Amino acid sequence: MGVTKTEIFTEQQNHLATTLKALAHPARIAILQYIIRQNACICNDLVDELGLAQATISQHLKELKNIGIIKGNIEGTSVCYCIDEDVWRQIKKELNIFFVDNVGVDKCC
């Protein structure tokens, strides 16, 4: 499999692609939706809510933490996760910029 040539793309293009890649899994979307509804949650809640194994949930949480969209605090033996509102707003802004251009259907082949 070939190496991607990320250096030929802008920093913004690479960042948006990395963000979308991290979000491109239904379990991660479900995790974010659950955290948003709860305003915070403990990882074990996610296991019960989603029905996935603890190790699977942990891997998905790691991917979301890598892009900074969630942050966690250690409380005893549990980790409480919440949405990083600054990162959430930045991703929303980047997506709005990406989708701002109108696509003309009459210009389609």
Side-chain angles (χ1 to χ4, degrees), residues 14-103:
N14 282 307
H15 184 265
L16 184 57
T18 299
T19 299
L20 293 175
K21 183 178 178 182
L23 295 175
H25 194 288
R28 294 182 198 141
I29 299 298
I31 288 168
L32 290 172
Q33 289 172 329
Y34 182 74
I35 293 172
I36 290 166
R37 283 194 314 266
Q38 302 301 315
N39 291 325
C41 73
I42 297 171
C43 190
N44 291 339
D45 292 345
L46 289 168
V47 172
D48 295 338
E49 177 72 16
L50 299 179
L52 297 172
Q54 175 67 51
T56 302
I57 295 288
S58 293
Q59 184 60 39
H60 288 303
L61 289 169
K62 178 183 174 189
E63 293 297 324
L64 293 171
K65 280 189 84 166
N66 284 344
I67 63 166
I69 198 164
I70 62 171
K71 54 187 176 181
N73 297 316
I74 298 173
E75 296 180 1
T77 59
S78 298
V79 179
C80 184
Y81 291 98
C82 63
I83 302 293
D84 185 316
E85 293 180 42
D86 292 334
V87 174
W88 182 265
R89 279 192 291 276
Q90 183 61 35
I91 291 170
K92 186 176 178 179
K93 179 181 172 184
E94 290 172 7
L95 287 173
N96 284 335
I97 290 169
F98 182 71
F99 286 110
V100 75
D101 292 328
N102 291 324
V103 177

